[in-house]
Amino acid sequence: FNNYNFRTTYATVNVGDLAKLDASVTEVNSEVLAQHGLVRPDGRALKILGDGEVSRALKVTAAKFSESAKAKLEKAGGQAISA
């Protein structure tokens, strides 16, 4: 017996990839990222990682955030909302 069938898999996106989104995008969630081709629309939970830089305020909703990603988003004036 093992927990392979019960594991949680995440779709991961770096903060630097969020910065490359259109300037008109201010709220980010898994649906928005799927529309822009950054994640697959398969319903996996979203995790934001801290690689890269973000210079504008974004309101990001995800299942998990790395500590560095949360710090970078809040430093830029945005919000990191855990769903």
Side-chain angles (χ1 to χ4, degrees):
F1 179 79
N2 60 34
N3 290 328
Y4 182 79
N5 293 330
F6 307 105
R7 73 187 185 282
T8 303
T9 57
Y10 294 97
T12 57
V13 176
N14 286 310
V15 172
D17 296 330
L18 298 178
K20 296 175 186 175
L21 292 173
D22 295 335
S24 63
V25 176
T26 58
E27 294 191 18
V28 178
N29 56 28
S30 58
E31 290 83 22
V32 172
L33 294 174
Q35 289 173 358
H36 286 87
L38 293 176
V39 296
R40 292 184 178 149
D42 57 4
R44 288 192 292 168
L46 181 63
K47 183 171 184 177
I48 307 297
L49 302 177
D51 189 30
E53 295 295 327
V54 63
S55 59
R56 60 190 169 109
L58 292 171
K59 183 178 179 181
V60 182
T61 304
K64 286 191 173 188
F65 293 89
S66 68
E67 290 294 324
S68 60
K70 192 170 188 176
K72 288 178 183 183
L73 287 169
E74 291 173 352
K75 182 180 176 186
Q79 292 179 316
I81 302 168
S82 295

